[in-house]
Every structure is written in structure tokens, then in C-alpha cells.
Amino acid sequence: MVHVAPKVLFLRNEHLATEALLGDAFVDHGYDVETFEVVPPERIDDPAGRVSFPDPAGYDAIVPLGARWSVYDEALRDTWVGAEMQFLRDAASTGAALLGVCFGGQLLAQAFGGTVARSPHPEIGWYHVDSDRSDIVPGGPWFAWHFDRWTLPPGATELARTANASQAFVLGRVLGLQFHPEVDTDLLKLWLAEDHDGEAAAFGLESDELLTRTIELADDVAQRIHRLVGGFLTHVAGQSPPS
């Protein structure tokens, strides 16, 4: 009998928000990785536009990733954000488990009946996340870069939080994350280089300090992201991944 590896699809909502460490963690758990580009680099300054999403059938897990925009932006909701929310609902109905990251987590919250709005306390940098279910979302320092936050969809259970925002929720076979578990030094360098508006500096953050802290936490994050993906697959997706 030929063994067919399970498949995960990463939705790259913008070209700078890649799967990075999350892709590695899914590979470590025996998954084949595929990606789909939603907004290409040439549309970064004019992101509203129609997108034809792939057929969700055949994917065991789908992961909408981050983006610089807001999921409640009307021009985006009228185009690809609305289409992506329907795609995610269709994917859930066909049996795929969903894991959303930052913008992707907010997208899941909004798609399944929650709300997303500007946060009075945005977060950029490394924050300690308190978790009620460390077997699904390990607590500890996780990287954040967001200006919005969600209210939980009906029936969802909050799993983790900081003092400023809900950081994780579960709803059936859906797990939404507000923080960025995927961040490594290479990805953070790209984000800092693209931070033309000085968002990090406005928080009193120096690029070198952020990168140094990211390097210091690299081994710890690698272990916790492996546990996070394993927890998602076992306790949310209901699978028994090799690890």
C-alpha cells in the first residue's frame, strides 16, 4: 500500500507573511506543504481585487497567514477577504482543519461570526502569552505585530491571552492565533526592512534588540511551535500525527 502524506495549504495573504517556522513544523509532523499567493507583491499598494481560491477538497489542514491590512476593510471584504472567508467556511465543511495566524486568526473569527476591530492596545514585539491549554497552545513568549483584535465567534472557547488581547481560540476544528509563532530572524528582518512607517520604532523598539531577542528565543520557540502544531493536529484536527 502506498502511503499518502497529509497535505497542508498555507494561504500567503501577502508575500512578506510566509509560513517560515510553521512550514517546518508541519513537515516535521509528516505533512506535505503547499502554498497559495493571495495578494502578489505588485498589488501590495492596491490590494483590493478578485481572487479565485483553489478547491479546498484534498487538504487536511489550511492555514491562513498574516497580512498588513485589516480584515474589516470594506474594499477587501467586498473582494478577496469575503471570498477567503467563504473559502474557509467551505473548507471546514469539507473536513479540513483550520489554523489561522494573526490576520488569518482574525479572518477565522470574522468568518465564523465574531467581530474584529481596532485594538486600544496594539502589540509589537515579544509578549508572554498565558494559556489554559498548554497541550494545544504552549504558553510563554510569542512574537506579536498587530493593531486589531477579535471578539470570539459564538461557541468558541478562548485558550490563551495577554493583558491586551485574546491570543487563541478554538471552535470545533478551527484554531485561531493572534500571535505569530512562525517568526524567525530571517522573516523578522524582512518585516523590519519593510516597516517604512516606523511602527516598531513608535513602540520604542530597536531593530537590533528585537532581532537579538528573537535569536535568544530561537531554540525555545522551535520546541514550542513543534508542540503547538502537534497539539493542533491531535486535539483540534483530531489526527494522530507522527512526531
Side-chain angles (χ1 to χ4, degrees), residues 106 109-110 113-117 149-153:
Q106 294 168 1
Q110 185 169 271
T115 62
V116 181
R149 65 182 183 183
W150 63 56
T151 63
L152 296 179

Side-chain angles (χ1 to χ4, degrees), residues 140-164:
W142 290 108
F143 191 81
W145 194 318
H146 67 98
F147 291 86
D148 298 327
R149 65 182 183 183
W150 63 56
T151 63
L152 296 179
T157 300
E158 183 179 272
L159 299 183
R161 68 206 58 81
T162 60
N164 300 321

Side-chain angles (χ1 to χ4, degrees), residues 56-57 59 62 85-98 173:
Y59 293 105
I62 296 177
M85 288 193 297
Q86 186 59 54
F87 168 76
L88 294 168
R89 290 190 291 264
D90 291 344
S93 69
T94 62
L98 306 178
R173 300 178 72 236

Side-chain angles (χ1 to χ4, degrees), residues 13-167:
N13 289 303
E14 71 157 277
H15 69 289
L16 291 177
T18 66
E19 61 277 7
L21 293 178
L22 264 180
D24 297 339
F26 270 91
V27 169
D28 289 345
H29 282 90
Y31 274 65
D32 286 342
V33 170
E34 295 185 18
T35 62
F36 178 79
E37 184 177 67
V38 179
V39 178
E42 61 270 19
R43 277 188 29 221
I44 205 73
D45 294 323
D46 187 21
R50 301 293 174 183
V51 175
S52 296
F53 287 88
D55 185 348
Y59 293 105
D60 300 274
I62 296 177
V63 184
L65 295 165
R68 66 186 68 195
W69 308 291
S70 294
V71 300
Y72 51 82
D73 181 284
E74 289 187 10
L76 299 185
R77 284 199 66 165
D78 288 343
T79 54
W80 63 267
V81 164
E84 187 167 337
M85 288 193 297
Q86 186 59 54
F87 168 76
L88 294 168
R89 290 190 291 264
D90 291 344
S93 69
T94 62
L98 306 178
L99 171 62
V101 174
C102 198
F103 177 95
Q106 294 168 1
L107 199 66
L108 289 174
Q110 185 169 271
F112 289 97
T115 62
V116 181
R118 194 75 169 177
S119 173
H121 303 289
E123 295 176 321
I124 298 179
W126 288 93
Y127 291 79
H128 183 84
V129 173
D130 293 312
S131 176
D132 300 331
R133 289 288 304 271
S134 60
D135 56 336
I136 301 176
V137 180
W142 290 108
F143 191 81
W145 194 318
H146 67 98
F147 291 86
D148 298 327
R149 65 182 183 183
W150 63 56
T151 63
L152 296 179
T157 300
E158 183 179 272
L159 299 183
R161 68 206 58 81
T162 60
N164 300 321
S166 175
Q167 295 291 326

